[in-house]
C-alpha cells in the first residue's frame, strides 16, 4: 500500500513539473523519467488524453505539437529547432528519436564553437548552425521501437514504421516502411478513420 502511495506521489509530481513547462490537454499523463527543455511554455503543445514518456527539447524558435490520444514511449527523444508536428491517435514506441535538425553543423569551425567549454557548449541555440527542416507525422501513425526519423520527413496518415528503421525521406498515407534507409514495403488497403 505504501509503495503504491509513493509511486502515485512521484507520478503526480512529475506531471506537475511537465505541465509547468508545456501546454497540455485534459487527461494528460507522463512518466517519471522525462525531460522538458524549452525556453517558453508555448513551445510545446500536447492534446487531450496523451501519454508522454519522451524527452522533449525545443531550441529558442522550435515548436513541438502533439495531437489528441497519442502515446509516446519512454526513453524516446523529440528535438525541434523549427517544428515537429505529430498527429492524433499515434502510437510511438520506446527508444524512438525524432529530430528536425542535425544538431551540429558540417563546418568543423562552427562545430568547434559548439564544443568549447567557454561558449554555450551543447546549448540548443547552436542548433541553428546546422541543417534543419520541419517534420510532420500524420494521424494514426504507428512507429516501432528504436526508429530514427530525420529532418524534413513527412509521414502520411496511417503509416506504419517497422522497428529499427531510419527514416530519411517522406512517405504517403497508409505506407508500411522498414529498413536503413527506410523504404516502402507495401501500401495498406484500410480506410482511414474519420
Amino acid at each position: 500500500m505504501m509503495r503504491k502511495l509513493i509511486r502515485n506521489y512521484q507520478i503526480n509530481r512529475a506531471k506537475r513539473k511537465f505541465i509547468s513547462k508545456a501546454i497540455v490537454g485534459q487527461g494528460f499523463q507522463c512518466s517519471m523519467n522525462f525531460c522538458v527543455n524549452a525556453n517558453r511554455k508555448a513551445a510545446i503543445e500536447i492534446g487531450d488524453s496523451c501519454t508522454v514518456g519522451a524527452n522533449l527539447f525545443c531550441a529558442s524558435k522550435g515548436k513541438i505539437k502533439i495531437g489528441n490520444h497519442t502515446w509516446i514511449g519512454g526513453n524516446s527523444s523529440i528535438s525541434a529547432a523549427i517544428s515537429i508536428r505529430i498527429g492524433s491517435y499515434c502510437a510511438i514506441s520506446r527508444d524512438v528519436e525524432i529530430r528536425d535538425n542535425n544538431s551540429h553543423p558540417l563546418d568543423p569551425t562552427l562545430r568547434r564553437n559548439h564544443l568549447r567549454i567557454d561558449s554555450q557548449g551543447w546549448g540548443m541555440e547552436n542548433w541553428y548552425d546546422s541543417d534543419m527542416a520541419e517534420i510532420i507525422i500524420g494521424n494514426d501513425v504507428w512507429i516501432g521501437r528504436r526508429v530514427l526519423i530525420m529532418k524534413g520527413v513527412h509521414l502520411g496518415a496511417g503509416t506504419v514504421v517497422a522497428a529499427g528503421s531510419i527514416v530519411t525521406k517522406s512517405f504517403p498515407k497508409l505506407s508500411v516502411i522498414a529498413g536503413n534507409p527506410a523504404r516502402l514495403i507495401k501500401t495498406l488497403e484500410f480506410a482511414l478513420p474519420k
Side-chain angles (χ1 to χ4, degrees):
M1 179 70 161
M2 184 60 113
R3 190 177 285 168
K4 185 176 180 181
L5 286 172
I6 291 170
R7 175 125 174 104
N8 285 340
Y9 169 77
Q10 291 171 329
I11 289 171
N12 285 329
R13 190 175 83 189
K15 186 175 175 181
R16 284 191 308 274
K17 183 178 174 187
F18 196 112
I19 290 170
S20 73
K21 297 181 178 206
I23 297 170
V24 301
Q26 297 293 317
F28 169 78
Q29 296 295 321
C30 66
S31 71
M32 292 184 298
N33 302 320
F34 72 89
C35 173
V36 175
N37 194 339
N39 65 354
R40 65 196 195 290
K41 189 172 181 173
I44 300 171
E45 290 182 46
I46 300 171
D48 294 337
S49 302
C50 289
T51 300
V52 177
N55 296 317
L56 306 177
F57 303 98
C58 286
S60 60
K61 299 173 190 172
K63 184 158 182 65
I64 297 170
K65 186 168 184 174
I66 301 170
N68 300 323
H69 303 282
T70 289
W71 186 90
I72 303 173
N75 205 38
S76 291
S77 176
I78 301 173
S79 302
I82 296 178
S83 174
I84 297 174
R85 290 187 285 155
I86 299 171
S88 296
Y89 296 96
C90 291
I92 300 174
S93 188
R94 298 179 54 79
D95 305 313
V96 170
E97 185 163 348
I98 302 170
R99 166 178 297 280
D100 72 358
N101 60 86
N102 285 350
S103 293
H104 301 292
L106 295 175
D107 182 332
T109 302
L110 292 173
R111 250 191 339 267
R112 276 192 180 197
N113 291 338
H114 287 216
L115 300 172
R116 287 200 177 113
I117 294 172
D118 61 337
S119 73
Q120 294 297 321
W122 295 90
M124 291 181 294
E125 61 279 351
N126 293 329
W127 286 352
Y128 292 105
D129 295 338
S130 69
D131 292 337
M132 53 197 139
E134 179 181 45
I135 293 173
I136 299 172
I137 297 172
N139 294 336
D140 302 292
V141 172
W142 176 16
I143 299 173
R145 192 169 188 169
R146 292 193 179 103
V147 167
L148 176 59
I149 298 177
M150 301 300 291
K151 66 184 185 301
V153 166
H154 294 198
L155 297 178
T159 293
V160 177
V161 184
S165 297
I166 298 180
V167 185
T168 59
K169 65 180 185 177
S170 299
F171 292 90
K173 67 181 182 178
L174 296 169
S175 297
V176 176
I177 61 175
N180 176 11
R183 61 183 177 83
L184 182 66
I185 303 300
K186 69 178 179 177
T187 301
L188 299 170
E189 301 290 328
F190 302 107
L192 287 168
K194 295 183 183 193

